[in-house]
Amino acid sequence: MAITTHRLTFPLTAESARSLRAGDMVIMSGEIVVTAGLPTHHRLIGCLNGVEPMPMDLNGASVFHLGSYSEEKDGTLQLHYINPTTSTRFNALMPTLISGFNWHAVGGKGGLDRPCVEALRQVGGVYLSFLGGGAALHTQAIRRVIEVGWSDMLMHYRLVRLQVEDMGPVTVAIDAHGVSLYEISGAT
Amino acid sequence: MTGIGFDTIKRVTADLYDRSLRFIPADSKVALRKADGIETNETARHTLQTMIRSAEAAEQSWRFVCSDSGVPVYVIKVGTQARFSGNVRQAIVEGFADLVASIQPPLLPHVTNPLTLERGHSGRHMPIVTFDMVDDCDFIDITCSPKALGSGRWSAMEIFSFPDLPTIEAYVLDVVRKAGSQPCPPVVVGVGIGGTFDYACKLAKEATLRPIGQPHPEAMVAAMEERLLAAVNRTGFGPMGTGGDSTATAVHVDYAAGHGFTPVAVTFNCWINRRTRARLFNDGRVEIIE
């Protein structure tokens, strides 16, 4: 069966997410938010519980487990590189975050477990698999650093909103209909 | 004849780490192309081809292949005829510090204090270095094999009493199954059997450094490697765990005699299989091997 490749605008809507099937490829343009920090995820749960205000609006955002290194030069943030980190260590927190913020696209590498698959199915969301060791390719797609949240944290833990153009292709590894390639392959 | 100097060790070890981040070894390129040629899953072929493109793009632009530069790990073989004109460990520590200050693009702070979880670019016993003696050589042989979270997290070791081969092989597959999609397959699996607790882990680590396609010299071990590689690739995890036949490019096994208690250690290198190597001679020559 031939692979379908979709060119989509991000943040992904629930409608677009539901149009995808596990195994499809996606080329991404638009706005995404990235972080590689477990402490960041705990802090976001705190925001949902009213502990502190959100550092940026993440409702309906496309949020990926990607670590990045950016530096301020001549008054603008320049991104050196970006690459996925292993998503499974966020398993316990992701269902609350997916449901709480209506995330229609999440991703990284390594996949998420069944409770996350169910949360994605309920909100109409997908998990996108980025190539690990793909820094040179992923970084080429970054056009601009739009904003950075929680600058008090380590570089790769911060929330970074980016404008991207033709990022990918990435693989739809978990679709919005409850199908996970990781479960089919037996890898989770 | 002044011997192997402080500045040479400092410069070469820093350079080995820097270079290891920007390309993948020649044997890994060959193995990925071979996997792409026999892979039956279309998504998996696509992922394998993207891996090759990614490695080429990093090498051509001399950028990092992966954002997780890991922590610097050196395996050093010291010839018994090698002579030093300065401190060795201190040279490696200073080389890493200089590299952190100057490398472009900069390194993320991955060096972590395991007790406080504080992260930075230096710490106790960092870089991680092991030394072994090699008879009748007038050089030191340094391999740099940085370890990052994706592949470092899933290593495991268990100690058995007088296990038979099926028990050992079942354990290896158990560790591979638990790792699943997480160490960025297709991986190189290193297996160390026997010796003692510490020695089995060292054998496993060093087994990952053996060039892909070079079987163990003993037929019984080579046959085990072949069986395990076939079994790992039958799991169906595939590249990045999204399905396929290419879960490992190699399984390398080594063993040591021990008592009846038999440690079995299993470790992984992710698909980029970072590895650089050089030899430093008494007469000042530096030979870059890879």
Side-chain angles (χ1 to χ4, degrees), chain B residues 229-248:
Chain B
L229 179 61
V232 170
N233 284 331
R234 273 197 303 274
T235 59
F237 300 164
M240 297 309 295
T242 54
D245 315 312
S246 316
T247 304

Side-chain angles (χ1 to χ4, degrees), chain B residues 157-160 163 168 191-203 254-265:
Chain B
M157 198 277 286
E158 192 165 325
I159 302 182
F160 298 85
I168 291 171
V191 181
I193 304 167
T196 52
F197 169 80
D198 53 319
Y199 206 72
C201 294
K202 181 177 157 62
L203 287 174
D254 203 359
Y255 75 98
H259 198 287
F261 73 90
T262 302
V264 180

Side-chain angles (χ1 to χ4, degrees), chain B residues 70-77 128-130 132 143-148 151-152 155-157 188-193 197-211 252-255 264-270 273-276:
Chain B
V71 292
V73 178
Y74 297 96
V75 176
I76 302 186
K77 310 289 181 191
I128 293 166
V129 190
T130 58
D132 278 307
T143 298
C144 180
S145 169
K147 207 71 200 160
S151 64
S155 306
M157 198 277 286
V188 173
V189 185
V191 181
I193 304 167
F197 169 80
D198 53 319
Y199 206 72
C201 294
K202 181 177 157 62
L203 287 174
K205 165 72 187 179
E206 295 199 15
T208 63
L209 303 178
R210 196 198 306 161
H252 292 156
V253 180
D254 203 359
Y255 75 98
V264 180
V266 184
T267 191
F268 302 93
N269 276 359
C270 62
N273 199 27
R274 287 188 278 224
R275 187 186 70 222
T276 50

Side-chain angles (χ1 to χ4, degrees), chain B residues 17-36:
Chain B
Y17 181 44
D18 184 331
R19 289 174 54 248
S20 76
L21 305 175
R22 303 174 193 270
F23 68 96
I24 68 170
D27 55 317
S28 289
K29 285 183 198 162
V30 170
L32 290 170
R33 289 203 177 93
K34 187 179 162 196
D36 179 37

Side-chain angles (χ1 to χ4, degrees), chain A residues 1-3 23 25 68-69 80-81 83 86 88-89 109-110 129-137 154-157 169 171 173 181-182 185-187, chain B residues 42-43 46-47 50-51 54 57-58 63-67 104-110 119 149-150 180-182 184 235-237 240-243 271:
Chain A
M1 197 176 74
I3 292 173
M25 297 279 174
S68 64
Y69 197 121
H80 286 297
Y81 51 83
N83 201 57
T86 312
T88 50
R89 69 178 180 282
K109 73 174 188 74
S129 168
F130 290 71
L131 178 70
L137 297 179
L154 286 178
M155 184 77 71
H156 47 315
Y157 290 0
T171 306
L181 294 186
Y182 303 103
S185 78
Chain B
E42 191 182 352
T43 302
H46 195 279
T47 303
T50 311
M51 286 171 173
S54 172
R63 308 284 289 184
F64 297 166
V65 183
C66 184
S67 58
Q104 285 300 326
L107 299 172
L108 284 165
H110 291 300
R119 308 192 84 179
L149 186 145
S181 58
Q182 297 163 114
C184 286
T235 59
F237 300 164
M240 297 309 295
T242 54
W271 72 267

